[in-house]
Amino acid sequence: REVRVELPPGALLAGRFDLSQALRVLVNLLENAAKYAPAGTPIDLAARREGAWLVVEVRDRGPGIPAAEAARVFEPFY
C-alpha cells in the first residue's frame, strides 16, 4: 500500500514526548487505515506544528466511524 508523507518544507518538527507511545499510536493509526481503506487507495500521513503542538494526521479513503459510535472511539479497547 502507498503511504504518502506530507511535511512542511524546512520545518523543525522536534519536541518532547514519549517516543515509544507516540510510535505505538502512529502504528495503530496506520494499521487501521490499511485495514479499512479500499484496496489500491493511498494513505496520507501529515505532520505540522501548531504553536506548541505537533499535529499528526493519518487520512485514508475508508468508510469512517459511524456517527452512533463516534463518542466511544476513545474508550479503551473499543
Side-chain angles (χ1 to χ4, degrees):
R1 176 163 318 257
E2 176 186 11
V3 176
R4 302 182 303 196
V5 179
E6 176 186 327
L7 300 171
L12 179 60
L13 299 176
R16 295 183 63 155
F17 54 90
D18 186 324
L19 180 61
S20 64
Q21 290 299 322
L23 285 174
R24 180 177 169 193
V25 168
L26 184 58
V27 166
N28 284 342
L29 290 171
L30 289 169
E31 285 178 344
N32 283 343
K35 182 176 178 180
Y36 294 107
T41 61
I43 296 168
D44 296 317
L45 172 63
R48 68 181 181 284
R49 277 189 117 12
E50 286 187 5
W53 294 93
L54 174 61
V55 178
V56 177
E57 297 176 345
V58 176
R59 294 183 297 265
D60 63 57
R61 277 82 180 160
I65 300 167
E69 296 181 32
R72 297 190 62 201
V73 78
F74 293 107
E75 291 177 16
F77 307 109
Y78 181 75

